[in-house]
Amino acid sequence: MEVRTTTQQNIRNYCNWIIPIIIVSKIVRWTIMFPQLVAMSIGWGYVPAIQSQPFRGFSASDFWGASNAISNVGDNTISFFQLINLGFTSYQVWEVYITIIYNVLIFFCVKSFYERNPYAGKKENLFVYLNVAIINIFCLNLAKEPYQMIFFFLMAFAISKPRTYRAKSIALMGALILTILFSRKYFGLVLMYFLILNYVVGKLFGEKQNSAVSANKKKMYRKLVFMFLLFGVLHFFLLSSLMVENEDTYNEMVSANSRDWTPAASEITPIFPNSNPLLLAVDYFIKIFRLMIPIELLIKLKVTYLFMIVNQWLILTFLVRTFRNRDKKRNPTRTVAMYLYIAFLLCSAAFEPDFGSWTRHQGVAFPVILLLI
C-alpha cells in the first residue's frame, strides 16, 4: 500500500508541476536564451522548406560511409515535419505543436519511470523536473532534435520491452542500426562502444552486482579510469586509421576539437587544439571526464551553467549507482541502458563542441537515461 501511495503521489506531483515547468521553460527560451536558441535556430529555414519542398520520404545513408557529411539527417528531418504537418506556416506555431506532442510522450515515459521506481525520492524528482525543463528550453522546437528524439524513444522501447538481457541487446542494436541509417552516422561509434563495453566491463569488474572485483571503491574508480584510458587508446588508433582511410571524417573530428568550431560562451576549450592523432586522443580522454564533471563552468559565473552542473552531478550519481548494481540477469533493463549511455558519452566526447550542445543532446536522450536510474 505504501509503495502504491508513493508512486501515485509522484505521478500526481508531476501532473501538477508539468504545465508550470513548460510555461517557465518557454519563457526562459524566448527571453533569456532568445539570442542563442531562437534567433539562431535553423528552424526558421525549415518553415519554407516544409511548405515548398516535395515530400521525399526517408532516405537511408550509406551504412559504411563514416562521415556525417554524407548523412541525410537534414532532409529526413524536413520529411518528418512534413509527415506530421497540419498546415502550420509559422515557426512559433510549430514550436507550440511540437511542445504539446512531445510532452505527452515524455509524460508516459515519466509515468512509467515512477511505476518502476516506487521509492523515487528528491534526487530522482529533481532530475526529472530539471530535464523536462531542459528539453522544453533546448529541444522542443523546429529543429533536428525532435526528429532525433524519435530514435531515442525507439531505443528506450527496444530496451524496456524484451525480457532478457540478450533480447534487449539485440533489439537495441537493431534500433541503433536504424539510427545510423536514418539519423546520425556517428551512432556507428555508439554501437561499437556498446559492444566493447559489454566485454570490457565484464572482464574488469565482473558481471554481477556487488561482485568481489567492484566491492572496493578505490579499486573500482581506478579501474574505471583505466577503462576510459583504454577507450582513449582505441580513439587514437581510430583517428590514425581515419586520417589515412577517411579524411572527411578525420577533419570533422579535428574541427570538433578546434577553438574555431563554435562561438558558444560554454565552449569546451580544447587543451591541445591540434590535428595530431596522439594529442587529439589525449584531449578525448580528458574530455570524457569534462563532460561528466563540468566544474569548469563555475569559472564562467552564469546562473544557467549551475543547472548544467547540477544535472551532470545527478546523472553521474545515478550512473555510479547503476554501475555498482549492474546485473544482466536480475537487472537487465538498467544494465543495458547504462552501457548505452556510457557508449553515448564516449561517442559524444569526440564531437561535442560546447556544454550547451552536450546538455541539448543529453536532453534528447532523456527516454533512455530514465531507464538507467
Side-chain angles (χ1 to χ4, degrees), residues 42-92:
I42 61 175
W44 297 103
Y46 278 177
V47 175
I50 293 169
Q51 293 177 281
S52 62
Q53 287 186 11
F55 180 72
R56 300 174 182 172
F58 300 92
S59 301
S61 302
D62 176 14
F63 186 85
W64 301 109
S67 176
N68 249 351
I70 58 172
S71 68
N72 297 317
V73 64
D75 291 338
N76 285 347
T77 299
I78 292 174
S79 293
F80 170 70
F81 287 129
Q82 288 176 326
L83 193 65
I84 64 172
N85 188 15
L86 297 180
F88 303 127
T89 59
S90 75
Y91 178 87
Q92 293 86 345

Side-chain angles (χ1 to χ4, degrees), residues 11-26:
I11 295 173
R12 257 195 315 270
N13 290 340
Y14 182 74
C15 291
N16 292 334
W17 280 102
I18 180 61
I19 294 178
I21 289 174
I22 294 172
I23 292 172
V24 172
S25 300
K26 290 303 179 181

Side-chain angles (χ1 to χ4, degrees), residues 67-355:
S67 176
N68 249 351
I70 58 172
S71 68
N72 297 317
V73 64
D75 291 338
N76 285 347
T77 299
I78 292 174
S79 293
F80 170 70
F81 287 129
Q82 288 176 326
L83 193 65
I84 64 172
N85 188 15
L86 297 180
F88 303 127
T89 59
S90 75
Y91 178 87
Q92 293 86 345
V93 175
W94 264 108
E95 180 159 334
V96 173
Y97 176 51
I98 292 167
T99 298
I100 293 172
I101 291 176
Y102 276 79
N103 275 292
V104 170
L105 296 174
I106 292 167
F107 170 80
F108 286 108
C109 288
V110 172
K111 182 175 180 289
S112 176
F113 164 74
Y114 283 130
E115 289 170 346
R116 293 192 314 273
N117 298 273
Y119 295 110
K122 293 180 180 178
K123 285 184 181 179
E124 288 80 6
N125 285 317
L126 175 59
F127 177 77
V128 167
Y129 296 153
L130 181 58
N131 274 267
V132 169
I134 287 171
I135 291 170
N136 279 279
I137 293 171
F138 287 93
C139 306
L140 300 188
N141 57 87
L142 198 61
K144 293 177 183 177
E145 281 71 30
Y147 174 65
Q148 292 166 14
M149 200 168 186
I150 292 295
F151 293 93
F152 279 95
F153 282 124
L154 179 62
M155 290 178 219
F157 182 83
I159 294 171
S160 60
K161 290 306 176 183
R163 295 180 62 87
T164 66
Y165 186 90
R166 182 182 179 85
K168 290 174 186 291
S169 298
I170 292 172
L172 173 60
M173 286 188 282
L176 283 170
I177 289 172
L178 288 175
T179 305
I180 296 165
L181 290 174
F182 295 100
S183 182
R184 293 292 193 182
K185 296 295 301 252
Y186 58 66
F187 270 79
L189 287 176
V190 176
L191 176 57
M192 180 181 73
Y193 289 147
F194 174 78
L195 294 172
I196 294 174
L197 281 165
N198 272 272
Y199 176 80
V200 170
V201 172
K203 292 298 182 182
L204 284 177
F205 301 93
E207 295 289 351
K208 296 184 179 181
Q209 61 179 345
N210 299 323
S211 60
V213 180
S214 62
N216 186 302
K217 284 186 179 181
K218 289 184 179 179
K219 189 175 182 180
M220 183 184 75
Y221 292 138
R222 285 199 298 267
K223 285 179 175 290
L224 279 173
V225 173
F226 177 71
M227 181 182 74
F228 288 125
L229 182 61
L230 285 178
F231 280 97
V233 173
L234 176 63
H235 191 70
F236 166 71
F237 286 111
L238 176 64
L239 287 170
S240 299
S241 174
L242 288 175
M243 188 169 60
V244 176
E245 302 293 337
N246 196 314
E247 190 175 352
D248 287 344
T249 303
Y250 182 77
N251 289 335
E252 284 182 40
M253 291 188 168
V254 172
S255 296
N257 201 58
S258 168
R259 295 177 189 273
D260 299 326
W261 175 251
T262 174
S266 62
E267 172 194 9
I268 304 176
T269 307
I271 298 174
F272 305 107
N274 196 289
S275 59
N276 180 282
L278 179 59
L279 293 178
L280 285 173
V282 173
D283 224 337
Y284 168 80
F285 169 71
I286 298 171
K287 196 173 178 182
I288 294 170
F289 296 95
R290 292 175 71 186
L291 289 176
M292 285 306 301
I293 313 172
I295 55 174
E296 63 198 81
L297 289 176
L298 290 172
I299 303 172
K300 299 181 183 291
L301 299 176
K302 287 186 68 174
V303 176
T304 51
Y305 295 161
L306 179 61
F307 294 100
M308 296 182 187
I309 295 171
V310 171
N311 188 51
Q312 287 304 140
W313 169 71
L314 289 169
I315 291 178
L316 182 60
T317 300
F318 300 140
L319 187 63
V320 171
R321 183 176 69 187
T322 302
F323 188 86
R324 295 187 65 192
N325 292 283
R326 69 197 177 279
D327 193 317
K328 292 182 178 181
K329 290 185 177 180
R330 296 172 57 188
N331 203 6
T333 298
R334 285 194 179 96
T335 305
V336 173
M338 176 197 69
Y339 284 138
L340 176 59
Y341 176 79
I342 297 175
F344 176 66
L345 166 68
L346 291 169
C347 177
S348 298
F351 293 100
E352 290 294 359
D354 65 88
F355 288 106

